[in-house]
Amino acid sequence: YRKAARLWGEVGDESRQAWALNWLGMLYTSDPAHRRESAEVLSRALGLFRHLQDERQEAIILSHLGNVRKEMGDYEQAGRCQEQALVLWEKLGNNLSEQAARLNDLAIIRVHEGRTIAAIDLYSRAAEVWRVRGEWEKLATTLTNLGIIYDLLGESRMALDQYRRALALLDRHPESPQRAIALNKLGDVLLGLEGPQSALAQYQKALKLRRRNNDRRGQAVTLNSMGLAQLAANHPAEALQEFNAALEIFRREGDRLAQATVLNNLGLVYERLGYPGRAREPYENALALADRISALQRETSLFGLAHVARAEGKLAEAELRMEQSLAIVETIRDRVGRPDLQASYQAARQERYGFLIDLLAERHRREPGSGYDAKAFAVSERARARSLLDLLSRARHPLKDEELSHLDDLSRRINVRHLEMLGAASRGIPSNDQGNRELTDLLESFRQAKAVAQEARPTERDSPPTVPLAQVQARFLGEETLLLEYFLGEERSFLWAVTSRDVRFVTNLPGRSQVEAAARQTYERMTESHHQTEAVASTQAAAKLSAMILGPVADLLGRRRLVIVAPGALQAVPFAALPHPAAGDPKRPAEPRPLILDHEIVSLPSATVLAALRSRLASRRPPRGLLAVIADPVMGPDDERLPNHRAAVANRRTPQLRRLPSTGGEAATILALAGSEPVLAASGFAASRELVRSGRLKSYRILHFATHGLLNDLYPELSSLALSAFDPSGRPVDGQLRAYEVADLDLRASLVVLSACRTALGEEVRGEGLVGLAQGFFRAGAPRLVVSLWDVNDTATRDLMKVFYTALLREKLSPAQALRKAQIALFQHDRWHAPYYWAGFVLQGEWK
């Protein structure tokens, strides 16, 4: 081919010279050792075909050249090649299959670049082409690729769904190599979700198929996965055998990235076997191989080397390696762009932050005055609420009309499906897989469309920096405030007790499982504490937890305001009802003194989030109106306020919710306290979703919602407040105000009170917190929230809110002071003495 190309060039036949170079370049592509020569030759061929104006062959070569550049790690040039190829295929027309293939190839490059939003969008466009054309095997390939993205970013449920859809399509192609890939990827997800046995069953199927197809590289991929499953099953010797077999194949193939992957796993095996010295070499080799090819594998190598260095007693080296590792984690997270995927990726990397905090705690023990407690605090802040922080810190940009129209259409379809599911659930009809899948797809389309629209806007993409400990002390805390920030580790947990002058770093709290078990037990007992049979159990559970998490700082509590930054199950604990940690047996006090009697209690996602809330609050003028109360909506067909209510028939899309009669009295009492200041009173039909979304609420400093709260653990965006489900003429309307809709509101209120059930709860995302209604209101602009931890009693809530608003509006107390006064009033009342009645409400956010 080289001679032919030279000779055709000498005689001036550009066409035949171009074809000879094309075949030579393609021959080189089959050998990883000659990728550079392949790129050079294909580039020469491309120039000739371009000169000959052969756009079809130009598009083909651009695609091949893009793949070669990708394998070389030159993702910028690879992307340009695939983009140019796509433009040419679109220009040529009638080549939808080629266009979809280029979309798929370009998406793979975007994954390597960390441009997740673009990658998902490209895969989705390709999948739609394959679906329309009925090319099921290619559709399965693209769905598998989508699953890989979700899996990399910690969204195991989404990945599992994509792999299962791909395998269902491949049932008609049982011997397809793509089936082996999908089986292998399915096993990878099941390894984390269900354990090694479920994963190994899929790997065995994949390995048999790859052997039948004589796919040597594919066999190595499966052997590597099987090694991880054996390691998870605590069979390190078997894992070592699988990894070595895979590594030998990848070396023969010249696949540097795959070698790095297996070498990292070999390092992990040697660690498990207790040979950190032997683990160092594979980790270092993997780091060298992955350089400029894969940030993910570099990060894994650095994390492994940090483990090795710590095991060898080289704590300074371990700290350096972990900082390098987390720098990559945070760069990848920031590039992801989509808040939900940023949160899932961060959740999957919490182990990294925990390891570094544990390491810094050890350095603090050895050198107490060297600032390692402050370093560890900074790592704790870096680990939590980053998605919320990004959203709080970035300006909103207006969307184009076509973008708004598309989002509105998706939102309408989501809400219709959501109402159908709520209506069915309220009638005892279980949801079906088809309905859940449809809703999942709609929500994913909405998240993606919104992210694509926002990505096109000019904005700073770097995540805002965390606030250092010294700055937290100087800016946010006075002598009257004690910040208690927790981080739950696997073997031990940590607590920073911080005042304006002092820091106590507690490094010996029990591990995550023990703390969370005690927290869940306390929560469950509190929700039943109004039953006589559960009162003692509630007291004992609270005392046990208090001794566990507050005992080491009992002497610092005094009568200070307590600002709690708590992860995991601790977020659902009503600290106000915990007793002061007494010395000795926590079961000793017959009637312990709850913290609320001596302390204001405030909850925060993180200290850095407080900085963002204060910054946003300082930049805006307070609204002129004082108070907007949305209460006692018309929710069910039996509501007497409906015209002809006795003949009303429930709409199947309307959830059957009972009226809360006390909320009307609650609203009237609150409004009576407002005096002559401007208020908005919306009850009955006026307490509608349309009112909230109209923009009228931005004119009020306090927003109060008194209604039902509906928690959705599976789809946190769909946690909602129930507003009027009928218009004044009796026609059913959508009465659900959902968390994702709340997040898009423009609120100027300084305080939002959600006097409804479980409005503080949501999906628990490690590192991010409880994702649901509360996060939605923070995003919408509220700096302070009063929200509930459980299904509150509506009569007790009415009484609590009366005292709260009297203290807030008449006595001019702060929200934290007013809530404390209200909770003490109920605690001291014989009828409402049990924590169930008064401890369920918490103040989140700013306390001033």
Side-chain angles (χ1 to χ4, degrees):
Y1 286 136
R2 278 196 297 268
K3 290 178 181 178
R6 177 175 53 79
L7 291 169
W8 289 125
E10 288 176 1
V11 300
D13 192 329
E14 286 189 336
S15 176
R16 284 173 169 159
Q17 182 186 13
W19 278 105
L21 290 169
N22 173 73
W23 290 324
L24 177 61
M26 293 303 297
L27 185 63
Y28 278 142
T29 62
S30 63
D31 185 350
H34 290 91
R35 285 183 182 133
R36 191 166 300 281
E37 291 95 328
S38 176
E40 291 172 356
V41 171
L42 287 174
S43 296
R44 289 174 59 199
L46 178 65
L48 290 169
F49 281 118
R50 192 168 278 162
H51 185 255
L52 293 165
Q53 298 184 334
D54 187 340
E55 291 183 329
R56 187 178 188 281
Q57 192 59 31
E58 184 184 346
I60 292 171
I61 291 183
L62 279 166
S63 175
H64 290 307
L65 185 57
N67 286 331
V68 172
R69 294 285 190 195
K70 180 195 71 179
E71 295 302 324
M72 294 169 63
D74 187 354
Y75 302 122
E76 183 178 356
Q77 288 297 326
R80 287 178 184 169
C81 289
Q82 297 294 1
E83 286 172 341
Q84 292 172 26
L86 180 60
V87 169
L88 285 170
W89 284 117
E90 289 172 344
K91 179 181 176 182
L92 290 166
N94 297 320
N95 293 283
L96 285 177
S97 186
E98 285 289 348
Q99 291 175 41
R102 301 295 73 75
L103 289 168
N104 193 80
D105 289 344
L106 187 54
I108 293 171
I109 293 165
R110 296 295 180 247
V111 171
H112 284 290
E113 291 176 324
R115 295 172 58 183
T116 306
I117 295 172
I120 293 176
D121 192 52
L122 290 162
Y123 280 139
S124 300
R125 288 166 58 191
E128 187 57 31
V129 174
W130 303 133
R131 191 175 285 113
V132 169
R133 292 177 60 82
E135 297 192 50
W136 308 120
E137 192 169 5
K138 292 178 178 177
L139 174 57
T141 299
T142 300
L143 292 177
T144 302
N145 289 341
L146 269 171
I148 291 170
I149 290 184
Y150 292 127
D151 192 23
L152 286 173
L153 297 177
E155 269 290 353
S156 299
R157 285 187 314 185
M158 291 291 294
L160 191 66
D161 185 54
Q162 298 298 329
Y163 296 148
R164 284 177 170 163
R165 292 189 195 195
L167 285 167
L169 291 170
L170 290 166
D171 283 344
R172 58 192 88 188
H173 302 284
E175 294 300 309
S176 166
Q178 184 57 40
R179 183 175 180 81
I181 295 172
L183 284 166
N184 207 118
K185 292 299 178 184
L186 177 63
D188 291 346
V189 174
L190 290 176
L191 181 60
L193 293 177
E194 298 179 7
Q197 294 308 313
S198 295
L200 282 167
Q202 305 304 321
Y203 296 148
Q204 293 290 355
K205 294 177 190 176
L207 189 61
K208 287 178 182 177
L209 182 52
R210 282 172 154 162
R211 283 172 175 163
R212 286 201 299 272
N213 289 330
N214 198 29
D215 179 2
R216 290 283 295 165
R217 188 188 181 283
Q219 291 174 49
V221 170
T222 302
L223 288 169
N224 178 63
S225 294
M226 292 174 76
L228 287 171
Q230 294 289 2
L231 196 57
N234 201 26
H235 299 146
E238 290 87 341
L240 199 60
Q241 183 177 345
E242 306 285 22
F243 291 144
N244 282 324
L247 184 60
E248 183 182 348
I249 295 172
F250 287 137
R251 279 176 174 157
R252 286 204 299 267
E253 293 281 326
D255 192 329
R256 291 169 58 88
L257 181 56
Q259 288 178 63
T261 302
V262 181
L263 285 166
N264 278 328
N265 293 336
L266 279 170
L268 187 59
V269 172
Y270 288 128
E271 274 192 74
R272 295 281 179 86
L273 288 170
Y275 303 129
R278 293 191 66 182
R280 181 178 285 276
E281 183 179 355
Y283 281 137
E284 289 178 340
N285 290 340
L287 186 62
L289 285 166
D291 187 40
R292 286 187 281 185
I293 297 178
S294 171
L296 284 169
Q297 288 305 323
R298 288 202 311 277
E299 188 276 320
T300 302
S301 302
L302 289 163
F303 185 43
L305 286 168
H307 273 264
V308 169
R310 184 173 184 183
E312 294 174 339
K314 302 172 181 176
L315 301 190
E317 181 193 343
E319 182 185 344
L320 174 63
R321 293 298 193 183
M322 274 315 305
E323 285 293 355
Q324 293 170 332
S325 169
L326 288 180
I328 295 174
V329 166
E330 289 164 5
T331 298
I332 293 172
R333 182 197 65 209
D334 291 345
R335 287 178 181 169
V336 168
R338 256 180 56 176
D340 61 310
L341 295 179
Q342 285 179 312
S344 63
Y345 176 76
Q346 182 88 345
R349 300 301 183 279
Q350 286 296 295
E351 178 191 4
R352 269 71 167 162
Y353 292 95
F355 178 84
L356 182 52
I357 290 171
D358 198 277
L359 173 67
L360 291 167
E362 176 63 18
R363 300 203 75 183
H364 173 73
R365 184 185 67 81
R366 297 185 183 192
E367 305 172 61
S370 299
Y372 292 113
D373 51 351
K375 278 190 173 184
F377 179 86
V379 176
S380 172
E381 285 287 302
R382 286 162 63 186
R384 62 177 84 240
R386 300 306 300 182
S387 176
L388 173 60
L389 183 62
D390 291 346
L391 289 163
L392 291 175
S393 304
R394 290 175 185 163
R396 298 190 188 194
H397 297 281
L399 301 182
K400 298 176 183 176
D401 289 344
E402 59 270 24
E403 292 169 339
L404 284 171
S405 177
H406 181 48
L407 288 170
D408 285 346
D409 178 62
L410 287 170
S411 178
R412 179 187 57 78
R413 293 163 63 193
I414 288 168
N415 295 349
V416 167
R417 185 74 196 101
H418 179 226
L419 281 176
E420 289 175 349
M421 293 179 73
L422 285 176
S426 68
R427 293 169 178 79
I429 303 170
S431 60
N432 56 66
D433 290 342
Q434 180 61 34
N436 286 336
R437 177 170 289 183
E438 180 184 342
L439 186 54
T440 297
D441 287 347
L442 286 169
L443 280 166
E444 178 60 13
S445 296
F446 181 84
R447 296 175 193 126
Q448 182 63 19
K450 194 170 184 179
V452 168
Q454 291 294 339
E455 190 180 41
R457 304 301 185 274
T459 184
E460 180 58 54
R461 291 292 174 190
D462 289 337
S463 187
T466 57
V467 180
L469 181 56
Q471 202 173 122
V472 170
Q473 291 179 280
R475 289 174 53 190
F476 304 142
L477 305 179
E479 278 298 317
E480 75 286 357
T481 301
L482 175 64
L483 170 67
L484 299 174
E485 178 156 334
Y486 294 87
F487 189 95
L488 302 183
E490 298 308 315
E491 295 183 3
R492 58 173 173 163
S493 298
F494 308 91
L495 165 62
W496 294 263
V498 186
T499 68
S500 59
R501 299 186 183 206
D502 301 305
V503 178
R504 182 178 297 177
F505 184 25
V506 180
T507 62
N508 59 348
L509 294 183
R512 169 188 302 280
S513 60
Q514 190 175 344
V515 172
E516 292 203 323
R520 290 191 180 98
Q521 185 178 44
T522 300
Y523 176 85
E524 290 164 5
R525 295 289 184 266
M526 290 278 185
T527 62
E528 300 292 329
S529 60
H530 55 308
H531 299 306
Q532 189 173 357
T533 55
E534 295 294 329
V536 173
S538 172
T539 299
Q540 291 174 347
K544 177 183 175 182
L545 180 63
S546 180
M548 181 185 293
I549 64 173
L550 294 173
V553 293
D555 59 307
L556 298 180
L557 300 182
R559 299 180 67 88
R560 289 184 168 111
R561 176 189 300 114
L562 304 181
V563 178
I564 313 293
V565 177
L570 283 178
Q571 295 169 96
V573 169
F575 275 72
L578 295 184
H580 189 285
D585 184 1
K587 298 179 182 180
R588 180 176 58 80
E591 182 64 31
R593 182 178 180 84
L595 291 177
I596 197 65
L597 295 181
D598 299 303
H599 308 274
E600 297 171 33
I601 311 286
V602 181
S603 175
L604 275 178
S606 75
T608 306
V609 165
L610 175 64
L613 292 173
R614 286 192 174 177
S615 174
R616 189 167 64 174
L617 194 58
S619 66
R620 70 189 191 200
R621 288 183 178 179
R624 294 183 61 189
L626 171 66
L627 175 67
V629 179
I630 299 92
D632 195 16
V634 179
M635 294 178 287
D638 58 347
D639 194 301
E640 62 187 21
R641 293 169 291 181
L642 277 169
N644 301 317
H645 74 277
R646 295 186 184 280
V649 178
N651 185 287
R652 68 184 180 87
R653 291 181 177 174
T654 303
Q656 301 300 287
L657 299 172
R658 66 179 179 87
R659 184 181 180 185
L660 298 172
S662 293
T663 59
E666 178 182 322
T669 300
I670 294 168
L671 290 164
L673 294 167
S676 60
E677 294 207 52
V679 298
L680 184 153
S683 63
F685 299 110
S688 68
R689 178 169 168 268
E690 286 68 29
L691 166 68
V692 178
R693 301 180 74 211
S694 69
R696 289 176 63 191
L697 297 188
K698 72 167 64 173
S699 300
Y700 299 91
R701 301 193 295 277
I702 301 172
L703 306 181
H704 183 92
F705 292 85
T707 182
H708 281 292
L710 303 179
L711 176 66
N712 193 316
D713 291 323
L714 187 60
Y715 305 109
E717 304 105 313
L718 300 182
S719 292
S720 59
L721 294 172
L723 300 176
S724 183
F726 298 88
D727 68 13
S729 65
R731 288 190 298 263
V733 296
D734 184 359
Q736 299 300 310
L737 178 66
R738 300 163 184 87
Y740 84 89
E741 296 171 315
V742 169
D744 284 334
L745 298 176
D746 180 15
L747 300 180
R748 310 293 170 86
S750 59
L751 172 66
V752 173
V753 179
L754 304 183
S755 181
C757 296
R758 299 191 292 172
T759 50
L761 303 184
E763 181 187 19
E764 185 184 318
V765 180
R766 282 190 67 188
E768 191 61 32
L770 296 173
V771 178
L773 277 169
Q775 268 210 1
F777 276 100
F778 276 135
R779 293 178 184 182
R784 304 172 189 84
L785 307 174
V786 173
V787 286
S788 63
L789 294 169
W790 52 65
D791 291 340
V792 294
N793 177 279
D794 56 334
T795 307
T797 298
R798 178 197 62 198
D799 290 357
L800 183 142
M801 290 299 167
K802 179 180 179 180
V803 180
F804 172 74
Y805 277 100
T806 300
L808 187 70
L809 300 179
R810 293 284 173 86
E811 300 171 31
K812 305 302 180 184
L813 298 184
S814 71
Q817 293 168 334
L819 182 59
R820 174 175 175 251
K821 183 169 184 177
Q823 290 181 317
I824 290 174
L826 265 70
F827 169 76
Q828 293 174 339
H829 193 293
D830 289 343
R831 184 182 180 187
W832 308 128
H833 181 71
Y836 164 74
Y837 293 114
W838 58 267
F841 282 99
V842 294
L843 177 71
Q844 295 186 352
E846 173 64 275
W847 61 82
K848 290 186 177 178

